[in-house]
Amino acid sequence: MIAKRMAARAAVGVALASLAFAQAVGQSGASFEPVTDAMIQQPDPKDWLSWRRTLDSWGYSPLAEIDRANVNQLRLVWARPLNAGSQEGTPLVHNGVLYFPEPGDVIAAIDAKSGDVLWEHRRAVPEDVRQFLTVPDTKRNIAIYGNLIIASSSDDFIYALDARTGEQVWETKILDYKLGAKQSSGPIIADGLAITGRSCEPEGGPDACVITAHDALTGREVWRTSTIARGSDPNSATWGSVPEEKRQQVGAWMIASYDPQLKLVYMGTSVSAPAPKISLAGNDLDYLYHNSTLALDVKTGKIVWHYQHIVDHWDLDHPFPRMLMDEEVAPDPAEVAWINPKIKRGKTYKVLTGVPGKTGVVYTLDRETGEFLWARPTVYQNVVQSIDGKTGRVTVNPATVFTEYGKAAFVCPSATGGANYQAPAYSPLTETMYFPAQNTCAMVSAVAPSPDGPGVYGMATRQQLAPGAESNVGVIHAVNAVTGRTEWKYAQRAGMQSLMTTGGGLVFAGDAGGRLRAMDDRTGAILWEVNLGSSVTGYPATFEVDGHQYLAVSTGRWLSDVFTPELIHGGQNTLYVFALPEAGIGHLGPVKAPIDPAARVTTNDPALDAAPSRKVSDGVFSLAQATAGKAVYDTRCAACHGATFTPGPGVPPVQGAAFLANWRGRTMADFVTLVRTTMPPGAGGSLPEADYLAVVAYLLQANGFRDGQPLVADEATLRGIGFGG
């Protein structure tokens, strides 16, 4: 009976959310259109359906209403604060609705024209997640498929929400978060599969270092592929004498690309740990598959081919975007350092290209076979000494390789990059790739393995600017994808963030100082800029609603401000949307069904709607709950409501005559709902249910009510307890 009552109330909530969504999409004359593989692989120019819009990771939109001639007229249409935490989100846009992954497992659906929120989902995650994972709240992207929004959670689940309501549809556990696998990036959709990678801390061993595929409609795991060669894998021998259980840290913590014709998923991997190979089995081994490109069969997860970019001693991860394009391969020997002599000039190749790692080196490979074609540096680097053009084999600079502990080496770039999570972009209009990077180096020494050492990477590091940087941290290199020639370069003091290109001949670029710029894709000339006040840490997107093009960017806090302490800016997490004046501002959002502030929704269930049969004075909470609730209150509530119940300005009282007067005639269900949905401020619903019941019990005790039987979360029971008339 209780389950029936709870289901009835849940159905009411879903119905209200669905109604709100229907009203929202009805306002623009559209209804929700389920997203198919064909739509993802060839997206409507109006939409942004994947992390970089298309599965080839170009970061390019053909929309051209905003162009070189009018971009200087862009103005803010709306802005929305985001949840607190490490913010690197990417909007998805479909049929005029924007879906955004906020830090800390919060996903919002927003009317893209007005900025009004349609629904918000706050996933409850264990409170101890931060004890096992560093910065677990980073959420770079989500995916859309069918009627679902699909995401990776901080506690190592993959889960799906109904895109129309925000209600959870399914969830699947991938790993135990206590074993150190962090999911800062979400999935792509490849032929109906949600493909995800993750970083993997040492405590998880090799089992945590996996790429997985799940059925996007059901959550069923389809395959799981190790990023560490082990067992029967013939490349297991590349780890030498390192036991399998000690092979660790080879993560795939960014986002894959996919070729639907070849049926290959492409994903990059990170360094092993410890990073200095003298701390493993020596400097003459490859330790596959660290710092490699993996080409995986989409149906089975089998590694079809791999290419190792560098044997990494310095934490120079290589998990960044692999851009896929069909193009002539004609590298210019005047600018391209390493070329395969077997290249057939004039032939169109299916290539995989870009800057896959922190070194800032551009690698171009044949994506059918993994054959090396050409490579060249962008930022100053001294770790890659040479690449054999015939074999693609990379030789590292011996001056940077550790042969003893404690002896420092000058290494460029530093472990922050060069390149990092900031995404590049490609424009088919110019056949040019645009790479954001930082000019960094470091003095690095290997530290002998020890429980009290400097961390899992086994290094001590002192960072500095690169030679020749002239105090400029940030830089964009525009490199022709066919010839490898530098088309232009833009350098500046502030660090550089992610890029996007458009059919209007523009490169949109954010920076760590808070500036958002529109640049001419042919010359790098700045055509428009605005100061957003905080680092532009999110990935930009552009979309069209009702015939007008919009630009979405988001800000947060950059972790490498140490290089530019004089650039004072905020760290606020905010989503901004811009458009030309013709798009208008101040649009009305969806009309939503009203909800009674006391959460008294009519259910047509007499058992739920009956008058309370008990009073709070009857002993409806336990002493143990109240005791536990005091600890919750002190850490989560006292800052606003006062340690001695003297609230701050504008904060409602939670103790005393005014509180009791406010709640006279209402039910315990109303009170628990209010506490659950508003506490902590801006993160309602983020605590365990037991904590909400405990803090309610403490507040009842603080108002003079006696303890008795424990307070339970059953809806009917809570509705049967009243504060009295």
Side-chain angles (χ1 to χ4, degrees), residues 21 25 30-35 94-95 97 99 144 146-148 163-164:
F21 188 92
V25 297
S31 59
F32 188 84
E33 179 184 8
V35 175
H94 178 49
N95 283 5
V97 177
Y99 304 90
I144 186 169
N147 296 332
L148 303 176
R164 300 161 296 187

Side-chain angles (χ1 to χ4, degrees), residues 74 76 79 494 509-518 526 528-536 553-556 566-572 574 576 578:
L74 278 181
L76 182 66
D511 72 24
R515 294 275 173 174
L516 172 66
R517 296 181 177 89
I526 297 172
W528 171 85
E529 67 180 296
V530 63
N531 188 345
L532 299 180
S534 296
S535 298
V536 188
V553 295
S554 54
T555 63
E566 79 282 4
L567 300 182
I568 300 173
H569 57 81
Q572 287 79 13
T574 309
Y576 296 91
F578 296 87

Side-chain angles (χ1 to χ4, degrees), residues 252-397:
W253 53 271
M254 287 294 287
I255 299 113
S257 303
Y258 180 55
D259 185 327
Q261 280 72 49
L262 297 178
K263 304 296 181 184
L264 292 179
V265 175
Y266 303 95
M267 187 167 262
T269 60
S270 74
V271 66
S272 57
K277 298 305 178 275
I278 59 170
S279 298
L280 290 173
N283 293 337
D284 57 344
L285 297 170
D286 291 340
Y287 306 95
L288 292 171
Y289 297 97
H290 92 278
N291 276 27
S292 299
T293 294
L294 304 181
L296 308 171
D297 183 285
V298 72
K299 293 183 179 179
T300 66
K302 177 184 176 182
I303 299 175
V304 176
W305 60 258
H306 72 276
Y307 175 85
Q308 187 170 48
H309 298 274
I310 192 170
V311 176
D312 184 359
H313 304 256
W314 320 273
D315 184 24
L316 296 177
D317 295 352
H318 276 63
F320 308 128
R322 273 74 176 159
M323 293 188 281
L324 314 180
M325 55 192 78
D326 297 348
E327 63 176 20
E328 181 185 355
V329 176
D332 182 351
E335 291 199 42
V336 177
W338 305 293
I339 301 174
N340 187 332
K342 296 182 292 183
I343 288 175
K344 297 179 180 178
R345 292 180 180 265
K347 175 185 173 180
T348 297
Y349 286 78
K350 292 182 178 295
V351 303
L352 174 152
T353 187
V355 170
K358 294 178 181 178
T359 61
V361 174
V362 182
Y363 289 84
T364 299
L365 309 176
D366 185 318
R367 72 174 183 271
E368 294 186 271
T369 65
E371 182 182 15
F372 173 83
L373 297 175
W374 62 266
R376 56 150 291 184
T378 54
V379 294
Y380 179 81
Q381 69 86 32
N382 69 348
V383 293
V384 176
Q385 177 172 277
S386 64
I387 302 177
D388 186 317
K390 294 180 180 179
T391 66
R393 178 75 180 180
V394 177
T395 298
V396 299
N397 176 8

Side-chain angles (χ1 to χ4, degrees), residues 132-143:
F132 298 93
L133 302 172
T134 57
V135 200
D137 53 0
T138 304
K139 300 298 163 195
R140 295 189 179 93
N141 69 298
I142 50 180

